[in-house]
Amino acid sequence: MKQIKSLFLILLGNILLAAGVSLFLIPCGFVSGGATGMGIIAEHFLGIPISLAVLTFNAFFFLTGLLFLGKRFAATTLMSTFFYPFCLEVFSRMAEPATLTEDTLLAALYAGLLCGVGLGLVFKEGASTGGTDIPVMILHRKKGFSLETGLYISDGLVILGQVFLVRPMEILYGLLIMILSSFVIGRIEFIGNSQFQLLIISPSYEQIREKLLHSLDMGVTLLNIENGLKATPSQAVLTVIPRRKLNEITNLIQEIDPAAFITIHEIKEVKGRGFSLAREYAEKENLSSQKTN
């Protein structure tokens, strides 16, 4: 089921990306980054249809990804390499008679949102739509290079290649689309992974600890602190909770101590026991380690 879900999200991501490009970006003459932008350049100078040019570029970058990122990445990318140009051709035929809107700003916003969500879904599953995404993914995997920054750079270089093909207005809209889609990609990538970190300072820290541990089954860490006014030692409660439990837990804390000092920070991702690692597995590993020692 996990593999089926991943496959579905990759296909959906490609469909949304192709819709954004074919229904809004190309009909309005906006510049584009990635393999699509390279396809626009190839169509202008060589007369090659965009879908065919994108397929050619994707095939080249696919071989690069196979070499550097392995067979699993290549398997998921292979699907996008051919499925995305196919969707591009289908939506292009739908958009031939007229654009969906004559408002260029609205078209740019929809292009940025659809492309951002589409790419974000594909990246979230560890795959790629092909094209210039693959060099960016290589830098991300091998060197820890930011996906958002890499996309800005690669798309910016491709857009530079189109500056003499369109009016300045289309370039400005293209940059808006690039910035918006990159921002959306960053948000989509962490959907379902974000958590909240709570730091609770209260004289009733022991009651709060007990409630979090035994009533709500949340992990808790106690930190040694010192009161700033009287320099008296105390303890603070640190916990990481899912988004859906935020209101429930803050209300519970305020029932115990209405004057409790609580700081709340949203964190993008959490690794470890109870989050990326099942609690039961972690407990077995700890017990096994203790017996060995």
Side-chain angles (χ1 to χ4, degrees):
M1 288 301 297
K2 186 177 179 181
Q3 291 177 340
I4 292 173
K5 178 185 174 184
S6 179
L7 175 64
F8 171 77
L9 290 176
I10 292 170
L11 292 175
L12 178 61
N14 278 277
I15 292 171
L16 293 176
L17 176 61
V21 169
S22 298
L23 301 181
F24 296 102
L25 193 147
I26 294 176
C28 293
F30 300 144
V31 295
S32 173
T36 304
M38 296 170 70
I40 292 172
I41 296 171
E43 182 185 50
H44 179 83
F45 287 107
L46 304 175
I48 302 173
I50 290 179
S51 56
L52 178 59
V54 169
L55 179 60
T56 304
F57 289 126
N58 278 356
F60 169 76
F61 286 117
F62 166 76
L63 294 175
T64 306
L66 176 62
L67 180 63
F68 287 97
L69 298 175
K71 293 180 180 179
R72 185 185 180 280
F73 176 84
T76 55
T77 304
L78 179 63
M79 178 172 53
S80 298
T81 298
F82 296 100
F83 186 66
Y84 171 61
F86 169 75
C87 293
L88 205 60
E89 181 66 22
V90 171
F91 282 117
S92 295
R93 293 181 183 276
M94 291 172 56
E96 276 182 3
T99 58
L100 292 179
T101 177
E102 294 181 358
D103 187 327
T104 51
L105 178 59
L106 186 62
L109 291 175
Y110 269 97
L113 287 171
L114 285 171
C115 292
V117 173
L119 284 169
L121 289 175
V122 175
F123 288 166
K124 185 175 174 62
E125 295 306 311
S128 167
T129 57
T132 57
D133 302 345
I134 292 179
V136 174
M137 291 289 286
I138 292 172
L139 289 174
H140 177 67
R141 293 276 188 91
K142 302 296 183 181
K143 303 295 182 180
F145 200 71
S146 167
L147 280 175
E148 292 178 71
T149 304
L151 288 171
Y152 279 134
I153 295 172
S154 65
D155 286 348
L157 291 174
V158 175
I159 286 175
L160 280 176
Q162 302 166 65
V163 294
F164 300 109
L165 309 181
V166 295
R167 297 175 301 169
M169 185 63 71
E170 275 73 29
I171 296 174
L172 293 176
Y173 276 120
L175 291 173
L176 175 64
I177 292 169
M178 181 186 74
I179 293 169
L180 178 58
S181 62
S182 296
F183 174 80
V184 173
I185 288 168
R187 306 287 76 75
I188 291 291
E189 189 181 2
F190 292 104
I191 284 180
N193 295 329
S194 64
Q195 310 281 336
F196 283 99
Q197 177 181 283
L198 273 62
L199 179 65
I200 307 144
I201 300 175
S202 167
S204 306
Y205 64 85
E206 189 59 42
Q207 290 176 261
I208 294 171
R209 183 187 74 87
E210 287 292 325
K211 282 288 185 181
L212 289 174
L213 280 174
H214 303 299
S215 298
L216 297 173
D217 194 31
M218 302 305 304
V220 170
T221 299
L222 293 180
L223 306 176
N224 292 321
I225 60 172
E226 190 175 89
N227 181 283
L229 181 63
K230 299 181 179 180
T232 54
S234 184
Q235 288 188 309
V237 179
L238 179 70
T239 185
V240 176
I241 63 172
R243 181 185 296 272
R244 67 181 183 276
K245 289 190 175 184
L246 179 62
N247 288 335
E248 178 187 1
I249 290 176
T250 52
N251 289 337
L252 181 145
I253 293 168
Q254 289 174 338
E255 285 177 11
I256 297 173
D257 180 7
F261 182 81
I262 309 171
T263 60
I264 303 172
H265 301 279
E266 185 176 11
I267 48 182
K268 289 184 176 180
E269 191 170 8
V270 184
K271 298 288 187 183
R273 179 182 172 188
F275 295 94
S276 62
L277 184 64
R279 291 188 179 188
E280 293 80 3
Y281 176 81
E283 287 170 358
K284 289 178 181 178
E285 287 294 304
N286 289 336
L287 287 173
S288 175
S289 175
Q290 290 173 5
K291 287 178 180 179
T292 303
N293 294 335

